[in-house]
Structures are given as C-alpha cells and as structure tokens.
Amino acid sequence: MERLKGKVALISGGARGQGAAEARLFATEGAKVVVGDVLDDVCKQTADEINAKAATKAAVALHLDVTRANDWRAAVAASEREFGGLDILVNNAGIYRTGGIEDTDEEDWDAVVNINQKGVWLGMKAAVPAMRRRGGGSIINISSIYGLIGSAGSAAYHGTKGAVRLLTKAAAVQYAPDRIRVNSVHPGVILTPMVDIVPPEQLQSLIELAPMKRAAQPEEVGWCVVFLASDEASFVTGAELVVDGGYTAI
Ligand code: NAD
C-alpha cells in the first residue's frame, strides 16, 4: 500500500481514462498527485474523488494543455508549492485520429503531433529541473503498441507514438547521470473514452488480434505505471513496457 510513499507525481491527461486510473492508484500507494488536463471539470472531479478517500489532501487538479510550455511550468510549480517537489511525471495525455498518409489533413496531423509528441517533450523539459532538485525521479511516457508496429489507418498517431518511444530512450541516456529514469509504456486496446470513436465491429476485430482476446481495463496499465514510478524499478531505464495481452508477441 505504500509503494510510492513520500513521492509527488504529475499526470497529464489525468481527468479520465488511464490517467485517472493512474492518479487513483498512485494515491492508494501513498503518492501525492497533481492531475492536469484540458477537461477542467472532469479533472476536478477526479481529484475530489481521490481526496474524499484520503486522510489528508492527496490530489490537486489544474488546467494543463500539454502543448503549452507555460502550462507545464505552472504545473511543475504547483507540484512544488502544494506538495514540496516533483518525483514522477506521467506523460499520458494523448489524442487519436484515424486517417492514412494521404487522407490525413494538416490540421489533424498538427494536432496529433503537438499533443502526443511535442507535449511529451515539453513535459520532460519542464519536469527535469524539479527532479534534479529532488536528486532524481521517474518519467513514464505513454506510447502505444502503435508506436511499435504499423497499421493502415492511423498515420499521424503511429508517427507520434513511435517518436515517443525513441525520445524516451534519448532522455533515458541523457538523464541517467541525474538519477532520472525514463521509460515508455505501450498499451494495446484499453477500455477508455479514446476507443469510443472506434466502431464496435472494428474494435472487436482489433481485440481478437491479441492472443488474450480481450481488451484491458485502465488499471491494468496503471499498475505497470506504478511499478515504473516506484523504487522497485530502480535499474529500469530506457525500457519499453508492453501491456497488450500479447498483441505484438505474434
Ligand atoms: P482518454 O481519451 O480517455 O484520455 C486522454 C486524456 O488526455 C483525456 O483526459 C484528454 O482530455 C487529455 N488530453 C487531450 N488533449 C490534451 C491536451 N492538449 N492537454 C492535456 N490533456 C489532454 O484516453 P486514454 O486511453 O486514457 O489515453 C491515455 C494515453 O494512452 C494516451 O496517450 C493514448 O494515446 C494512450 N493509449 C491508449 C490506448 C487505448 O486503447 N485506449 C491504447 C494505446 C495507447
């Protein structure tokens, strides 16, 4: 129950889905959590629910648009002001757009790149100085199985999630001397609002591609993120943790 005791975490896209599950699990394991999202009301609700179960204030909600450097600076400052520092960053915020190479328009391309790729870079850039002040930290970047393998209809998403995979390794190499570990997580099909836009038959056929033949609950990714965030993963950096029911094992 205390795997993250004494640690402060900042989770982007933490209002709902996997980010919210991670915020809840982190608090259960003793962390203080700053939950950032563009969905302000949902974000506040998530933080309120966590605080209702905690003996002392365990969560703070704030507006964080991951494409804005100023928002990131404010989020890191809030972590230090509210809870005394920053030990863990989960770069979880992301959007999904369908469209292959020719039928993706520039607007969609730029939106996906700005949130999924630039947002991860801005997050690390803002968080690292605060982690240095704590003597180390753990950064978890949420990629996807679509950052490992290709498919026909999600060009921008694949491009950004592949970039997150290698940006993670570059950061792991750069920040090892600072005792900051950086790892990527690669979920398969997870039952969150993100997959609501996928037509049910298409979703079912994606699910059938995984040997376990089911989708996962967000907590099944969340526990893996808890592990990477904790000192249990003290020698794990630059790694890709695949959480996909065997989808990419075939
Ligand atoms: P979700 O849509 O429920 O959650 C994504 C969150 O990101 C939302 O709360 C949303 O408001 C937030 N967000 C979007 N744009 C933002 C911005 N500019 N700034 C801050 N927050 C923003 O989906 P999810 O499944 O929980 O997604 C979490 C992560 O997991 C994403 O990076 C996604 O790409 C990745 N992922 C999801 C699946 C899946 O099947 N659901 C599979 C692989 C990877």
Side-chain angles (χ1 to χ4, degrees):
M1 294 291 281
E2 297 195 329
R3 295 163 72 191
L4 300 177
K5 193 168 184 232
K7 296 188 191 293
V8 182
L10 169 58
I11 303 178
S12 72
R16 68 180 194 195
Q18 294 174 60
E22 284 145 19
R24 288 190 293 268
L25 294 176
F26 275 31
T28 304
E29 292 297 335
K32 304 289 187 192
V33 193
V34 177
V35 190
D37 207 295
V38 288
L39 300 176
D40 296 328
D41 293 347
V42 191
C43 197
K44 184 176 177 311
Q45 205 178 318
T46 298
D48 286 349
E49 281 166 16
I50 290 170
N51 285 324
K53 290 187 183 153
T56 56
K57 185 165 79 169
V60 165
L62 53 76
H63 182 84
L64 169 64
D65 178 342
V66 294
T67 67
R68 295 183 175 273
N70 279 345
D71 283 11
W72 274 114
R73 276 192 281 274
V76 171
S79 308
E80 294 189 309
R81 188 180 60 246
E82 297 280 343
F83 296 127
L86 182 65
D87 306 286
I88 301 161
L89 168 66
V90 187
N91 271 313
N92 164 79
I95 59 169
Y96 176 72
R97 294 281 185 278
T98 52
I101 300 290
E102 292 159 274
D103 53 352
T104 295
D105 60 35
E106 276 192 60
E107 202 181 320
D108 269 356
W109 178 270
D110 289 344
V112 175
V113 169
N114 276 330
I115 293 171
N116 293 7
Q117 183 175 338
K118 185 180 176 188
V120 170
W121 164 63
L122 285 176
M124 293 197 289
K125 187 174 174 168
V128 160
M131 290 182 175
R132 278 208 195 95
R133 288 192 278 278
R134 293 281 264 196
S138 174
I139 297 173
I140 299 106
N141 295 328
I142 307 300
S143 175
S144 168
I145 53 171
Y146 277 13
L148 301 172
I149 57 170
S151 74
S154 315
Y157 191 79
H158 278 293
T160 58
K161 292 301 187 179
V164 168
R165 171 182 173 268
L166 215 50
L167 186 60
T168 298
K169 292 185 196 300
V173 172
Q174 181 173 354
Y175 295 121
D178 295 297
R179 300 169 52 86
I180 298 170
R181 298 181 294 101
V182 192
N183 294 287
S184 58
V185 172
H186 301 261
V189 181
I190 315 299
L191 296 173
T192 69
M194 182 171 280
V195 299
D196 287 349
I197 63 160
V198 183
E201 282 161 28
Q202 200 183 325
L203 186 64
Q204 191 52 39
S205 56
L206 279 177
I207 289 168
E208 295 291 327
L209 290 174
M212 290 180 76
K213 301 217 177 294
R214 68 171 178 87
Q217 296 300 323
E219 288 74 15
E220 295 181 85
V221 178
W223 283 118
C224 298
V225 177
V226 167
F227 165 68
L228 289 173
S230 77
D231 294 338
E232 295 162 18
S234 54
F235 201 49
V236 183
T237 197
E240 302 161 14
L241 182 43
V242 179
V243 191
D244 70 349
Y247 194 111
T248 53
I250 299 174

PDB file of all heavy atoms in Angstrom, residues 132-171:
ATOM      1  N   ARG A 132      15.753  17.162 -10.636  1.00  0.00           N
ATOM      2  CA  ARG A 132      17.158  17.344 -10.207  1.00  0.00           C
ATOM      3  C   ARG A 132      17.207  17.898  -8.788  1.00  0.00           C
ATOM      4  O   ARG A 132      18.032  17.478  -7.970  1.00  0.00           O
ATOM      5  CB  ARG A 132      17.883  18.320 -11.136  1.00  0.00           C
ATOM      6  CG  ARG A 132      18.384  17.687 -12.411  1.00  0.00           C
ATOM      7  CD  ARG A 132      19.612  18.447 -12.920  1.00  0.00           C
ATOM      8  NE  ARG A 132      19.875  18.083 -14.295  1.00  0.00           N
ATOM      9  CZ  ARG A 132      19.438  18.773 -15.345  1.00  0.00           C
ATOM     10  NH1 ARG A 132      18.733  19.885 -15.176  1.00  0.00           N
ATOM     11  NH2 ARG A 132      19.716  18.373 -16.562  1.00  0.00           N
ATOM     12  N   ARG A 133      16.314  18.830  -8.502  1.00  0.00           N
ATOM     13  CA  ARG A 133      16.292  19.418  -7.149  1.00  0.00           C
ATOM     14  C   ARG A 133      15.961  18.363  -6.095  1.00  0.00           C
ATOM     15  O   ARG A 133      16.311  18.518  -4.930  1.00  0.00           O
ATOM     16  CB  ARG A 133      15.267  20.569  -7.076  1.00  0.00           C
ATOM     17  CG  ARG A 133      15.698  21.816  -7.815  1.00  0.00           C
ATOM     18  CD  ARG A 133      14.831  23.030  -7.485  1.00  0.00           C
ATOM     19  NE  ARG A 133      13.589  23.103  -8.232  1.00  0.00           N
ATOM     20  CZ  ARG A 133      13.474  23.580  -9.479  1.00  0.00           C
ATOM     21  NH1 ARG A 133      14.536  24.019 -10.117  1.00  0.00           N
ATOM     22  NH2 ARG A 133      12.301  23.605 -10.089  1.00  0.00           N
ATOM     23  N   ARG A 134      15.270  17.278  -6.500  1.00  0.00           N
ATOM     24  CA  ARG A 134      14.924  16.188  -5.567  1.00  0.00           C
ATOM     25  C   ARG A 134      15.991  15.097  -5.554  1.00  0.00           C
ATOM     26  O   ARG A 134      15.865  14.102  -4.838  1.00  0.00           O
ATOM     27  CB  ARG A 134      13.594  15.534  -5.983  1.00  0.00           C
ATOM     28  CG  ARG A 134      12.404  16.441  -5.826  1.00  0.00           C
ATOM     29  CD  ARG A 134      11.937  16.531  -4.393  1.00  0.00           C
ATOM     30  NE  ARG A 134      10.850  15.599  -4.130  1.00  0.00           N
ATOM     31  CZ  ARG A 134      10.059  15.670  -3.082  1.00  0.00           C
ATOM     32  NH1 ARG A 134      10.248  16.619  -2.192  1.00  0.00           N
ATOM     33  NH2 ARG A 134       9.105  14.791  -2.918  1.00  0.00           N
ATOM     34  N   GLY A 135      16.990  15.223  -6.448  1.00  0.00           N
ATOM     35  CA  GLY A 135      18.054  14.211  -6.501  1.00  0.00           C
ATOM     36  C   GLY A 135      17.710  13.021  -7.380  1.00  0.00           C
ATOM     37  O   GLY A 135      18.387  11.992  -7.345  1.00  0.00           O
ATOM     38  N   GLY A 136      16.652  13.131  -8.199  1.00  0.00           N
ATOM     39  CA  GLY A 136      16.304  12.038  -9.119  1.00  0.00           C
ATOM     40  C   GLY A 136      14.812  11.988  -9.375  1.00  0.00           C
ATOM     41  O   GLY A 136      14.061  12.824  -8.856  1.00  0.00           O
ATOM     42  N   GLY A 137      14.403  11.028 -10.197  1.00  0.00           N
ATOM     43  CA  GLY A 137      12.972  10.923 -10.490  1.00  0.00           C
ATOM     44  C   GLY A 137      12.682   9.816 -11.482  1.00  0.00           C
ATOM     45  O   GLY A 137      13.582   9.073 -11.894  1.00  0.00           O
ATOM     46  N   SER A 138      11.422   9.716 -11.831  1.00  0.00           N
ATOM     47  CA  SER A 138      10.983   8.707 -12.803  1.00  0.00           C
ATOM     48  C   SER A 138       9.990   9.339 -13.768  1.00  0.00           C
ATOM     49  O   SER A 138       8.998   9.945 -13.334  1.00  0.00           O
ATOM     50  CB  SER A 138      10.331   7.522 -12.078  1.00  0.00           C
ATOM     51  OG  SER A 138       9.777   6.624 -13.034  1.00  0.00           O
ATOM     52  N   ILE A 139      10.284   9.217 -15.058  1.00  0.00           N
ATOM     53  CA  ILE A 139       9.382   9.733 -16.092  1.00  0.00           C
ATOM     54  C   ILE A 139       8.833   8.534 -16.863  1.00  0.00           C
ATOM     55  O   ILE A 139       9.596   7.653 -17.283  1.00  0.00           O
ATOM     56  CB  ILE A 139      10.127  10.692 -17.052  1.00  0.00           C
ATOM     57  CG1 ILE A 139      10.641  11.916 -16.279  1.00  0.00           C
ATOM     58  CG2 ILE A 139       9.217  11.117 -18.205  1.00  0.00           C
ATOM     59  CD1 ILE A 139      11.533  12.859 -17.090  1.00  0.00           C
ATOM     60  N   ILE A 140       7.513   8.526 -17.011  1.00  0.00           N
ATOM     61  CA  ILE A 140       6.869   7.444 -17.770  1.00  0.00           C
ATOM     62  C   ILE A 140       6.118   8.082 -18.928  1.00  0.00           C
ATOM     63  O   ILE A 140       5.214   8.896 -18.721  1.00  0.00           O
ATOM     64  CB  ILE A 140       5.903   6.632 -16.880  1.00  0.00           C
ATOM     65  CG1 ILE A 140       6.660   5.984 -15.712  1.00  0.00           C
ATOM     66  CG2 ILE A 140       5.222   5.545 -17.707  1.00  0.00           C
ATOM     67  CD1 ILE A 140       6.437   6.627 -14.394  1.00  0.00           C
ATOM     68  N   ASN A 141       6.511   7.742 -20.141  1.00  0.00           N
ATOM     69  CA  ASN A 141       5.879   8.281 -21.337  1.00  0.00           C
ATOM     70  C   ASN A 141       4.951   7.230 -21.936  1.00  0.00           C
ATOM     71  O   ASN A 141       5.386   6.115 -22.256  1.00  0.00           O
ATOM     72  CB  ASN A 141       6.946   8.689 -22.359  1.00  0.00           C
ATOM     73  CG  ASN A 141       7.799   9.838 -21.862  1.00  0.00           C
ATOM     74  OD1 ASN A 141       7.319  10.697 -21.119  1.00  0.00           O
ATOM     75  ND2 ASN A 141       9.057   9.866 -22.257  1.00  0.00           N
ATOM     76  N   ILE A 142       3.682   7.595 -22.071  1.00  0.00           N
ATOM     77  CA  ILE A 142       2.714   6.625 -22.586  1.00  0.00           C
ATOM     78  C   ILE A 142       2.723   6.663 -24.109  1.00  0.00           C
ATOM     79  O   ILE A 142       2.275   7.629 -24.729  1.00  0.00           O
ATOM     80  CB  ILE A 142       1.297   6.893 -22.040  1.00  0.00           C
ATOM     81  CG1 ILE A 142       1.305   6.982 -20.494  1.00  0.00           C
ATOM     82  CG2 ILE A 142       0.345   5.787 -22.520  1.00  0.00           C
ATOM     83  CD1 ILE A 142       1.797   5.746 -19.757  1.00  0.00           C
ATOM     84  N   SER A 143       3.259   5.606 -24.688  1.00  0.00           N
ATOM     85  CA  SER A 143       3.240   5.435 -26.145  1.00  0.00           C
ATOM     86  C   SER A 143       2.045   4.539 -26.471  1.00  0.00           C
ATOM     87  O   SER A 143       0.926   4.791 -26.016  1.00  0.00           O
ATOM     88  CB  SER A 143       4.580   4.849 -26.617  1.00  0.00           C
ATOM     89  OG  SER A 143       4.575   4.558 -27.983  1.00  0.00           O
ATOM     90  N   SER A 144       2.267   3.481 -27.234  1.00  0.00           N
ATOM     91  CA  SER A 144       1.180   2.594 -27.676  1.00  0.00           C
ATOM     92  C   SER A 144       1.820   1.403 -28.378  1.00  0.00           C
ATOM     93  O   SER A 144       2.984   1.480 -28.792  1.00  0.00           O
ATOM     94  CB  SER A 144       0.287   3.353 -28.675  1.00  0.00           C
ATOM     95  OG  SER A 144      -0.604   2.479 -29.328  1.00  0.00           O
ATOM     96  N   ILE A 145       1.036   0.340 -28.568  1.00  0.00           N
ATOM     97  CA  ILE A 145       1.532  -0.701 -29.481  1.00  0.00           C
ATOM     98  C   ILE A 145       1.686  -0.098 -30.881  1.00  0.00           C
ATOM     99  O   ILE A 145       2.492  -0.570 -31.667  1.00  0.00           O
ATOM    100  CB  ILE A 145       0.624  -1.951 -29.524  1.00  0.00           C
ATOM    101  CG1 ILE A 145      -0.832  -1.581 -29.816  1.00  0.00           C
ATOM    102  CG2 ILE A 145       0.752  -2.752 -28.247  1.00  0.00           C
ATOM    103  CD1 ILE A 145      -1.722  -2.786 -30.091  1.00  0.00           C
ATOM    104  N   TYR A 146       0.932   0.999 -31.144  1.00  0.00           N
ATOM    105  CA  TYR A 146       1.067   1.670 -32.445  1.00  0.00           C
ATOM    106  C   TYR A 146       2.350   2.497 -32.521  1.00  0.00           C
ATOM    107  O   TYR A 146       2.617   3.116 -33.545  1.00  0.00           O
ATOM    108  CB  TYR A 146      -0.174   2.521 -32.723  1.00  0.00           C
ATOM    109  CG  TYR A 146      -1.335   1.733 -33.299  1.00  0.00           C
ATOM    110  CD1 TYR A 146      -1.349   0.348 -33.283  1.00  0.00           C
ATOM    111  CD2 TYR A 146      -2.417   2.381 -33.886  1.00  0.00           C
ATOM    112  CE1 TYR A 146      -2.402  -0.369 -33.821  1.00  0.00           C
ATOM    113  CE2 TYR A 146      -3.478   1.668 -34.433  1.00  0.00           C
ATOM    114  CZ  TYR A 146      -3.465   0.287 -34.390  1.00  0.00           C
ATOM    115  OH  TYR A 146      -4.513  -0.417 -34.938  1.00  0.00           O
ATOM    116  N   GLY A 147       3.135   2.499 -31.473  1.00  0.00           N
ATOM    117  CA  GLY A 147       4.492   3.043 -31.527  1.00  0.00           C
ATOM    118  C   GLY A 147       5.520   1.962 -31.791  1.00  0.00           C
ATOM    119  O   GLY A 147       6.717   2.233 -31.860  1.00  0.00           O
ATOM    120  N   LEU A 148       5.045   0.722 -31.919  1.00  0.00           N
ATOM    121  CA  LEU A 148       5.942  -0.418 -32.151  1.00  0.00           C
ATOM    122  C   LEU A 148       5.695  -1.088 -33.494  1.00  0.00           C
ATOM    123  O   LEU A 148       6.616  -1.617 -34.113  1.00  0.00           O
ATOM    124  CB  LEU A 148       5.740  -1.472 -31.039  1.00  0.00           C
ATOM    125  CG  LEU A 148       6.000  -1.019 -29.609  1.00  0.00           C
ATOM    126  CD1 LEU A 148       5.567  -2.104 -28.626  1.00  0.00           C
ATOM    127  CD2 LEU A 148       7.480  -0.690 -29.407  1.00  0.00           C
ATOM    128  N   ILE A 149       4.438  -1.103 -33.913  1.00  0.00           N
ATOM    129  CA  ILE A 149       4.057  -1.765 -35.158  1.00  0.00           C
ATOM    130  C   ILE A 149       3.179  -0.824 -35.993  1.00  0.00           C
ATOM    131  O   ILE A 149       2.613   0.119 -35.456  1.00  0.00           O
ATOM    132  CB  ILE A 149       3.281  -3.086 -34.901  1.00  0.00           C
ATOM    133  CG1 ILE A 149       2.035  -2.808 -34.038  1.00  0.00           C
ATOM    134  CG2 ILE A 149       4.183  -4.129 -34.246  1.00  0.00           C
ATOM    135  CD1 ILE A 149       1.087  -3.982 -33.932  1.00  0.00           C
ATOM    136  N   GLY A 150       3.064  -1.124 -37.293  1.00  0.00           N
ATOM    137  CA  GLY A 150       2.262  -0.279 -38.172  1.00  0.00           C
ATOM    138  C   GLY A 150       0.854  -0.814 -38.377  1.00  0.00           C
ATOM    139  O   GLY A 150       0.545  -1.959 -38.039  1.00  0.00           O
ATOM    140  N   SER A 151      -0.021   0.058 -38.887  1.00  0.00           N
ATOM    141  CA  SER A 151      -1.340  -0.358 -39.382  1.00  0.00           C
ATOM    142  C   SER A 151      -1.722   0.669 -40.439  1.00  0.00           C
ATOM    143  O   SER A 151      -1.052   1.697 -40.592  1.00  0.00           O
ATOM    144  CB  SER A 151      -2.380  -0.427 -38.252  1.00  0.00           C
ATOM    145  OG  SER A 151      -2.769   0.875 -37.857  1.00  0.00           O
ATOM    146  N   ALA A 152      -2.803   0.421 -41.163  1.00  0.00           N
ATOM    147  CA  ALA A 152      -3.056   1.210 -42.369  1.00  0.00           C
ATOM    148  C   ALA A 152      -3.706   2.575 -42.129  1.00  0.00           C
ATOM    149  O   ALA A 152      -3.515   3.492 -42.912  1.00  0.00           O
ATOM    150  CB  ALA A 152      -3.927   0.405 -43.327  1.00  0.00           C
ATOM    151  N   GLY A 153      -4.444   2.738 -41.032  1.00  0.00           N
ATOM    152  CA  GLY A 153      -5.321   3.914 -40.982  1.00  0.00           C
ATOM    153  C   GLY A 153      -5.084   4.939 -39.902  1.00  0.00           C
ATOM    154  O   GLY A 153      -6.003   5.685 -39.555  1.00  0.00           O
ATOM    155  N   SER A 154      -3.875   5.029 -39.355  1.00  0.00           N
ATOM    156  CA  SER A 154      -3.645   5.979 -38.245  1.00  0.00           C
ATOM    157  C   SER A 154      -2.240   6.571 -38.361  1.00  0.00           C
ATOM    158  O   SER A 154      -1.439   6.496 -37.436  1.00  0.00           O
ATOM    159  CB  SER A 154      -3.769   5.271 -36.897  1.00  0.00           C
ATOM    160  OG  SER A 154      -4.885   4.433 -36.845  1.00  0.00           O
ATOM    161  N   ALA A 155      -1.952   7.206 -39.509  1.00  0.00           N
ATOM    162  CA  ALA A 155      -0.570   7.603 -39.818  1.00  0.00           C
ATOM    163  C   ALA A 155       0.016   8.561 -38.780  1.00  0.00           C
ATOM    164  O   ALA A 155       1.131   8.360 -38.285  1.00  0.00           O
ATOM    165  CB  ALA A 155      -0.520   8.243 -41.203  1.00  0.00           C
ATOM    166  N   ALA A 156      -0.740   9.611 -38.457  1.00  0.00           N
ATOM    167  CA  ALA A 156      -0.202  10.613 -37.530  1.00  0.00           C
ATOM    168  C   ALA A 156       0.016   9.985 -36.151  1.00  0.00           C
ATOM    169  O   ALA A 156       1.043  10.229 -35.499  1.00  0.00           O
ATOM    170  CB  ALA A 156      -1.160  11.798 -37.424  1.00  0.00           C
ATOM    171  N   TYR A 157      -0.935   9.173 -35.719  1.00  0.00           N
ATOM    172  CA  TYR A 157      -0.828   8.541 -34.397  1.00  0.00           C
ATOM    173  C   TYR A 157       0.410   7.644 -34.339  1.00  0.00           C
ATOM    174  O   TYR A 157       1.200   7.706 -33.398  1.00  0.00           O
ATOM    175  CB  TYR A 157      -2.109   7.753 -34.112  1.00  0.00           C
ATOM    176  CG  TYR A 157      -2.247   7.271 -32.689  1.00  0.00           C
ATOM    177  CD1 TYR A 157      -2.668   8.124 -31.678  1.00  0.00           C
ATOM    178  CD2 TYR A 157      -1.973   5.950 -32.355  1.00  0.00           C
ATOM    179  CE1 TYR A 157      -2.807   7.683 -30.370  1.00  0.00           C
ATOM    180  CE2 TYR A 157      -2.114   5.488 -31.053  1.00  0.00           C
ATOM    181  CZ  TYR A 157      -2.536   6.357 -30.053  1.00  0.00           C
ATOM    182  OH  TYR A 157      -2.669   5.906 -28.759  1.00  0.00           O
ATOM    183  N   HIS A 158       0.598   6.808 -35.379  1.00  0.00           N
ATOM    184  CA  HIS A 158       1.791   5.945 -35.412  1.00  0.00           C
ATOM    185  C   HIS A 158       3.065   6.764 -35.348  1.00  0.00           C
ATOM    186  O   HIS A 158       4.005   6.432 -34.618  1.00  0.00           O
ATOM    187  CB  HIS A 158       1.809   5.125 -36.711  1.00  0.00           C
ATOM    188  CG  HIS A 158       0.951   3.900 -36.659  1.00  0.00           C
ATOM    189  ND1 HIS A 158       1.224   2.829 -35.851  1.00  0.00           N
ATOM    190  CD2 HIS A 158      -0.168   3.568 -37.353  1.00  0.00           C
ATOM    191  CE1 HIS A 158       0.300   1.885 -36.038  1.00  0.00           C
ATOM    192  NE2 HIS A 158      -0.556   2.315 -36.938  1.00  0.00           N
ATOM    193  N   GLY A 159       3.105   7.846 -36.151  1.00  0.00           N
ATOM    194  CA  GLY A 159       4.318   8.675 -36.197  1.00  0.00           C
ATOM    195  C   GLY A 159       4.671   9.228 -34.832  1.00  0.00           C
ATOM    196  O   GLY A 159       5.828   9.195 -34.391  1.00  0.00           O
ATOM    197  N   THR A 160       3.640   9.716 -34.124  1.00  0.00           N
ATOM    198  CA  THR A 160       3.921  10.335 -32.819  1.00  0.00           C
ATOM    199  C   THR A 160       4.263   9.287 -31.756  1.00  0.00           C
ATOM    200  O   THR A 160       5.143   9.506 -30.928  1.00  0.00           O
ATOM    201  CB  THR A 160       2.714  11.156 -32.322  1.00  0.00           C
ATOM    202  OG1 THR A 160       1.559  10.319 -32.215  1.00  0.00           O
ATOM    203  CG2 THR A 160       2.418  12.300 -33.271  1.00  0.00           C
ATOM    204  N   LYS A 161       3.574   8.162 -31.779  1.00  0.00           N
ATOM    205  CA  LYS A 161       3.834   7.170 -30.732  1.00  0.00           C
ATOM    206  C   LYS A 161       5.194   6.499 -30.938  1.00  0.00           C
ATOM    207  O   LYS A 161       5.871   6.124 -29.973  1.00  0.00           O
ATOM    208  CB  LYS A 161       2.701   6.144 -30.675  1.00  0.00           C
ATOM    209  CG  LYS A 161       1.372   6.739 -30.177  1.00  0.00           C
ATOM    210  CD  LYS A 161       1.503   7.325 -28.780  1.00  0.00           C
ATOM    211  CE  LYS A 161       0.172   7.774 -28.198  1.00  0.00           C
ATOM    212  NZ  LYS A 161       0.299   8.308 -26.834  1.00  0.00           N
ATOM    213  N   GLY A 162       5.609   6.358 -32.213  1.00  0.00           N
ATOM    214  CA  GLY A 162       6.967   5.874 -32.482  1.00  0.00           C
ATOM    215  C   GLY A 162       7.996   6.886 -31.999  1.00  0.00           C
ATOM    216  O   GLY A 162       9.039   6.518 -31.445  1.00  0.00           O
ATOM    217  N   ALA A 163       7.702   8.165 -32.189  1.00  0.00           N
ATOM    218  CA  ALA A 163       8.624   9.216 -31.733  1.00  0.00           C
ATOM    219  C   ALA A 163       8.757   9.196 -30.211  1.00  0.00           C
ATOM    220  O   ALA A 163       9.856   9.371 -29.679  1.00  0.00           O
ATOM    221  CB  ALA A 163       8.122  10.577 -32.212  1.00  0.00           C
ATOM    222  N   VAL A 164       7.652   8.964 -29.523  1.00  0.00           N
ATOM    223  CA  VAL A 164       7.702   8.912 -28.051  1.00  0.00           C
ATOM    224  C   VAL A 164       8.610   7.773 -27.589  1.00  0.00           C
ATOM    225  O   VAL A 164       9.377   7.915 -26.625  1.00  0.00           O
ATOM    226  CB  VAL A 164       6.278   8.749 -27.466  1.00  0.00           C
ATOM    227  CG1 VAL A 164       6.318   8.387 -25.988  1.00  0.00           C
ATOM    228  CG2 VAL A 164       5.477  10.027 -27.683  1.00  0.00           C
ATOM    229  N   ARG A 165       8.552   6.670 -28.304  1.00  0.00           N
ATOM    230  CA  ARG A 165       9.397   5.516 -27.945  1.00  0.00           C
ATOM    231  C   ARG A 165      10.876   5.922 -27.955  1.00  0.00           C
ATOM    232  O   ARG A 165      11.621   5.646 -27.011  1.00  0.00           O
ATOM    233  CB  ARG A 165       9.139   4.379 -28.934  1.00  0.00           C
ATOM    234  CG  ARG A 165      10.079   3.223 -28.804  1.00  0.00           C
ATOM    235  CD  ARG A 165       9.777   2.152 -29.858  1.00  0.00           C
ATOM    236  NE  ARG A 165      10.804   1.129 -29.827  1.00  0.00           N
ATOM    237  CZ  ARG A 165      11.895   1.157 -30.579  1.00  0.00           C
ATOM    238  NH1 ARG A 165      12.109   2.141 -31.432  1.00  0.00           N
ATOM    239  NH2 ARG A 165      12.797   0.196 -30.479  1.00  0.00           N
ATOM    240  N   LEU A 166      11.327   6.590 -29.013  1.00  0.00           N
ATOM    241  CA  LEU A 166      12.754   6.889 -29.118  1.00  0.00           C
ATOM    242  C   LEU A 166      13.160   8.145 -28.346  1.00  0.00           C
ATOM    243  O   LEU A 166      14.289   8.228 -27.858  1.00  0.00           O
ATOM    244  CB  LEU A 166      13.181   6.974 -30.589  1.00  0.00           C
ATOM    245  CG  LEU A 166      14.599   6.449 -30.837  1.00  0.00           C
ATOM    246  CD1 LEU A 166      14.814   5.075 -30.206  1.00  0.00           C
ATOM    247  CD2 LEU A 166      14.894   6.377 -32.314  1.00  0.00           C
ATOM    248  N   LEU A 167      12.235   9.087 -28.219  1.00  0.00           N
ATOM    249  CA  LEU A 167      12.506  10.258 -27.377  1.00  0.00           C
ATOM    250  C   LEU A 167      12.754   9.786 -25.938  1.00  0.00           C
ATOM    251  O   LEU A 167      13.598  10.329 -25.216  1.00  0.00           O
ATOM    252  CB  LEU A 167      11.299  11.205 -27.443  1.00  0.00           C
ATOM    253  CG  LEU A 167      11.412  12.562 -26.758  1.00  0.00           C
ATOM    254  CD1 LEU A 167      12.557  13.380 -27.335  1.00  0.00           C
ATOM    255  CD2 LEU A 167      10.098  13.337 -26.925  1.00  0.00           C
ATOM    256  N   THR A 168      12.008   8.768 -25.537  1.00  0.00           N
ATOM    257  CA  THR A 168      12.169   8.183 -24.202  1.00  0.00           C
ATOM    258  C   THR A 168      13.579   7.638 -24.019  1.00  0.00           C
ATOM    259  O   THR A 168      14.226   7.862 -22.987  1.00  0.00           O
ATOM    260  CB  THR A 168      11.134   7.056 -24.011  1.00  0.00           C
ATOM    261  OG1 THR A 168       9.829   7.625 -24.101  1.00  0.00           O
ATOM    262  CG2 THR A 168      11.308   6.353 -22.684  1.00  0.00           C
ATOM    263  N   LYS A 169      14.069   6.920 -25.016  1.00  0.00           N
ATOM    264  CA  LYS A 169      15.417   6.333 -24.893  1.00  0.00           C
ATOM    265  C   LYS A 169      16.475   7.432 -24.874  1.00  0.00           C
ATOM    266  O   LYS A 169      17.455   7.355 -24.114  1.00  0.00           O
ATOM    267  CB  LYS A 169      15.661   5.345 -26.037  1.00  0.00           C
ATOM    268  CG  LYS A 169      14.779   4.101 -25.929  1.00  0.00           C
ATOM    269  CD  LYS A 169      15.118   3.092 -27.000  1.00  0.00           C
ATOM    270  CE  LYS A 169      14.023   2.055 -27.165  1.00  0.00           C
ATOM    271  NZ  LYS A 169      13.745   1.278 -25.946  1.00  0.00           N
ATOM    272  N   ALA A 170      16.287   8.471 -25.705  1.00  0.00           N
ATOM    273  CA  ALA A 170      17.249   9.584 -25.711  1.00  0.00           C
ATOM    274  C   ALA A 170      17.291  10.251 -24.339  1.00  0.00           C
ATOM    275  O   ALA A 170      18.369  10.559 -23.809  1.00  0.00           O
ATOM    276  CB  ALA A 170      16.860  10.597 -26.788  1.00  0.00           C
ATOM    277  N   ALA A 171      16.122  10.457 -23.750  1.00  0.00           N
ATOM    278  CA  ALA A 171      16.064  11.094 -22.426  1.00  0.00           C
ATOM    279  C   ALA A 171      16.665  10.172 -21.360  1.00  0.00           C
ATOM    280  O   ALA A 171      17.346  10.634 -20.438  1.00  0.00           O
ATOM    281  CB  ALA A 171      14.616  11.448 -22.085  1.00  0.00           C
TER     282      ALA A 171
END
